[in-house]
Amino acid sequence: MKVLTWNINSVRLREPIVLKVMEGLAPDIVCLQETKCPDPQFPFKNFEKAGYGHMHFQGMKGYNGVAILSKIPFHKVHAFNRVGKNDCRHIAVEVVSKKIKKPIAIHNLYVPAGGDIPNVDENDKFAHKLDFVDELKDFFAKSYARTEPMIAVGDFNIAPLEHDVWSHKQLIDVVSHTPVEVEKLSAMQKSIGWVDAIRTFVPHTEKLYTWWSYRNQDWKASNRGRRLDHIWVTAPLAGRLKSHHIHKEARDWPQPSDHVPVMLELDL
DNA sequence: ATGGTAGGTACCCTA
């Protein structure tokens, strides 16, 4: 089973390259963030034609929005409101695999970016981000056991490790890599023992990015990236990880997203 | 230290 996550920054504008990724990488399940599309306008037809007939999405006008497009039918679907807002940042599905008994829950997350100032007293967006991650920690801890097979993917908007950013020193006070955010994400990871699946394939000493800002005139030459997009699994799936792929070439396509697709293959 | 780009929307917000 191949699960792919991608922040596409408008599903309507980026529909052709989502289809291109589906064709090229053949993921079974595609989780999108920042669809920026109200549900009645979601462009489902070509995804259906491409074999992704099972869809679950929650979008709104202008901002945010998450979607799960799948070749595999859903056993159940969920949509969540987080920190008292209905802002379309968290949905989940359950799928059944032949190889394990329990249905596998797949959570698609779009954690708030958090604004520019890393201070909760001066910046409500940063406070919202920290509260969001806190709430996810509590949610996973109270809703699930460590023995349940689960996958969490998405744009977490936090690069936790030293080599998840181009310069640990220069980004230590930049939102996405501050100690307080890393601490919150670490607590969320510990909630039910999430394993950072992508980093099991790449040593922590090696630079690894999934996002390059639009504001660099040559993203590849400057290579000032960050690893903001993640795939986590719980213990029952940790022994079933087969391969990973960061589809960096997508950053060079015309009208690219600033994030690239991240894919995990599991033996399921 | 600063400002750089992109998308959606409606003349500005978020990233």
Side-chain angles (χ1 to χ4, degrees), chain A residues 80 82 90 107 135-144:
Chain A
F80 302 97
R82 289 271 154 252
H90 182 189
H107 287 264
E135 189 173 296
L136 283 176
K137 175 199 69 183
D138 294 339
F139 165 77
F140 286 125
K142 82 165 193 290
S143 311
Y144 298 95

Side-chain angles (χ1 to χ4, degrees), chain A residues 213-267:
Chain A
S213 173
Y214 284 126
R215 294 175 191 176
N216 288 321
Q217 62 168 28
D218 187 336
W219 72 276
K220 206 186 269 177
S222 56
N223 197 25
R224 294 184 166 189
R226 303 178 202 171
R227 188 170 73 109
L228 302 179
D229 304 276
H230 301 271
I231 303 183
W232 290 357
V233 302
T234 52
L237 300 182
R240 296 180 168 272
L241 309 180
K242 284 178 76 179
S243 69
H244 86 291
H245 178 64
I246 314 272
H247 205 50
K248 204 173 159 182
E249 67 170 76
R251 189 63 183 78
D252 254 346
W253 294 345
Q255 281 201 299
S257 168
D258 45 356
H259 297 252
V260 298
V262 176
M263 189 165 75
L264 175 71
E265 185 184 6
L266 301 106
D267 176 32

Side-chain angles (χ1 to χ4, degrees), chain A residues 149-195:
Chain A
M150 296 177 61
I151 304 172
V153 312
D155 177 3
F156 294 5
N157 265 315
I158 299 172
L161 304 175
E162 179 180 346
H163 295 291
D164 288 341
V165 293
W166 63 275
S167 168
H168 176 63
K169 207 173 173 180
Q170 285 178 258
L171 292 175
I172 196 77
D173 293 322
V174 173
V175 173
S176 74
H177 193 62
T178 64
V180 61
E181 291 168 86
V182 172
E183 187 50 46
K184 296 281 185 196
L185 191 69
S186 167
M188 172 179 150
Q189 192 172 351
K190 285 183 186 122
S191 65
I192 53 166
W194 289 108
V195 173

Side-chain angles (χ1 to χ4, degrees), chain A residues 78-99:
Chain A
H78 307 274
F80 302 97
N81 291 335
R82 289 271 154 252
V83 267
K85 294 176 197 273
N86 184 15
D87 60 355
C88 306
R89 293 176 178 276
H90 182 189
I91 56 172
V93 297
E94 290 172 35
V95 298
V96 177
S97 149
K98 289 169 207 151
K99 297 204 177 180

